[in-house]
Amino acid sequence: MFTRAGAVWTALTVGFLILIVLLIFITQNTASAQFQFLGWHWSLPLGVAILLAAVCGGLITVLAGTARIYQLRRAAKKHASGRR
């Protein structure tokens, strides 16, 4: 039987497994790498840099999705108010 508590438990388990894999990845990729972006220069461990890039990409995706959801909600509200 599917329950919300079971779904949360499954999501937490998968999330912790992903974190373990990420920690292993970061600890195996500790060599420092040089980075340049718009005139800024810095160095980070390679694993941290790749993880940071993935997090930034995820945040950009969330922002684009949020903008689209907001746009659709406005259109739905406008459409619903016009039907009355």
Side-chain angles (χ1 to χ4, degrees):
M1 176 185 245
F2 177 78
T3 63
R4 287 184 186 173
V8 169
W9 186 253
T10 302
L12 284 173
T13 303
V14 170
F16 279 121
L17 289 174
I18 290 171
L19 282 176
I20 290 168
V21 170
L22 284 173
L23 283 173
I24 292 169
F25 175 79
I26 289 172
T27 57
Q28 289 181 344
N29 292 284
T30 57
S32 187
Q34 299 290 326
F35 296 94
Q36 298 177 21
F37 181 69
L38 297 175
W40 296 331
H41 304 275
W42 68 93
S43 90
L44 285 173
L46 187 58
V48 173
I50 293 172
L51 181 62
L52 183 62
V55 168
C56 289
L59 289 175
I60 290 170
T61 302
V62 167
L63 287 174
T66 301
R68 181 65 178 151
I69 290 169
Y70 179 73
Q71 182 184 34
L72 290 172
R73 283 186 180 172
R74 279 188 62 188
K77 254 187 202 179
K78 189 175 184 180
H79 181 72
S81 66
R83 298 181 101 196
R84 293 181 181 181

